[in-house]
Amino acid sequence: MTFSSKNLKIISLLLTILAGFFHLYPFIDVQYYLSQGDHGRDLYAFEQTTHGAKVYQDYWWVYGPLMPVYYSWFDNWLGTNIQSILVGEMFLHLFSGLFIFLTLCIFFSPLIGFSAAVWFWVFNEDFFFTYNHAGGITMLTLIVYALFLYLKSPRTGYLVMGLAGIFLLSLIKLNFGLSALLVFAVSWVLIDLRVSLRVPPQFGGTKQS
C-alpha cells in the first residue's frame, strides 16, 4: 500500500465516522415505538443495573448479561432516561457501520467501504422491540472483519479478535454466539485449507496492497 492510498483510507475512515455520526445523531431524540413487554423490561433492567442490581439474581432477564451493564454506563453518565439508552444504541450502530467499512476496505476501495457503511446506516431496520440486539449486530460485524483480515493474512491475532467477538456475542445472546462460533470455525478451516493449497483469495475488482 502506497503512502497516498494510506492517506485515502484514513480520510475515508474519518468521512465515514462523520457521516455515521451526522446520520445517527438525530435518532437519539426519536423512539418510534414502545413495547411495554420488551422495551419496558429493557429499561427496567438497565435502571436496576445502574443502581447495583445483578442480572438474573435481582431481576428477570432473557438474554446475556452484557447489555444491561453496557447501557447502565450511559444511565450513569447521562441520567436514567430513554435518551441515554438511545445514545448507547447510537454508538453500537456507529461501530457496526465502521466495521463494515473496514471489512470491505481489506479487498476493495475505501469508496465501496464508505458506500456500504452509509447503506447500512440508512436502511438498517434493526430489532425495534429491544435494545439488546444492536450489540449483537456490532459483534457480528467485528467477527466478519476478523475473518476477512485472516483471509487476507492468516495470523493468530485475527483469530483471537474473532473469538473475542464471539465470546462477547455469547454474552449478548447465547444462540447468536453459538451460531457464530460454528460459522467461524468452518471458515477458519476453509481458509487454512486454501493457504495449504496456496490458493490466493479472489474478489472482483480486488485491489491488492
Side-chain angles (χ1 to χ4, degrees):
M1 182 180 288
T2 64
F3 180 77
S4 59
S5 62
K6 285 183 178 179
N7 283 343
L8 176 61
K9 186 173 181 179
I10 293 174
I11 292 171
S12 299
L13 175 61
L14 294 176
L15 289 175
T16 303
I17 294 173
L18 287 175
F21 179 79
F22 282 113
H23 173 74
L24 295 170
Y25 182 77
F27 289 96
I28 68 173
D29 290 323
V30 179
Q31 175 65 62
Y32 286 115
Y33 305 100
L34 272 179
S35 170
Q36 293 180 354
D38 293 277
H39 286 127
R41 174 206 60 212
D42 289 4
L43 294 170
Y44 176 79
F46 305 155
E47 181 181 10
Q48 290 301 302
T49 305
T50 302
H51 296 316
K54 296 180 180 179
V55 64
Y56 310 130
Q57 178 177 325
D58 297 320
Y59 59 84
W60 178 70
W61 183 247
V62 296
Y63 303 121
L66 183 59
M67 297 314 291
V69 176
Y70 169 79
Y71 283 113
S72 72
W73 294 341
F74 291 90
D75 273 347
N76 275 316
W77 175 31
L78 299 172
T80 304
N81 52 64
I82 293 180
Q83 189 173 50
S84 301
I85 306 306
L86 293 177
V87 171
E89 191 176 45
M90 179 195 73
F91 280 109
L92 293 173
H93 291 320
L94 180 64
F95 277 103
S96 295
L98 291 179
F99 285 133
I100 291 173
F101 167 81
L102 293 172
T103 297
L104 291 179
C105 283
I106 295 172
F107 290 106
F108 300 97
S109 70
L111 178 61
I112 293 177
F114 173 83
S115 301
V118 172
W119 182 279
F120 169 78
W121 286 322
V122 172
F123 295 103
N124 173 34
E125 294 186 2
D126 199 15
F127 298 86
F128 79 90
F129 54 86
T130 179
Y131 305 107
N132 183 79
H133 294 357
I137 295 173
T138 304
M139 289 303 107
L140 285 172
T141 55
L142 169 62
I143 294 164
V144 173
Y145 176 48
L147 270 178
F148 269 62
L149 287 171
Y150 189 72
L151 176 62
K152 181 179 181 181
S153 179
R155 298 178 182 174
T156 304
Y158 299 145
L159 293 177
V160 172
M161 180 193 302
L163 292 172
I166 291 171
F167 174 72
L168 293 176
L169 179 59
S170 299
L171 294 179
I172 295 171
K173 201 168 191 297
L174 182 59
N175 59 335
F176 283 9
L178 294 176
S179 300
L181 178 60
L182 175 61
V183 174
F184 189 84
V186 172
S187 301
W188 181 358
V189 171
L190 292 177
I191 292 171
D192 283 353
L193 179 61
R194 175 192 63 81
V195 172
S196 66
L197 296 176
R198 301 180 183 276
V199 179
Q202 298 292 331
F203 291 89
T206 298
K207 183 177 180 180
Q208 298 291 341
S209 57

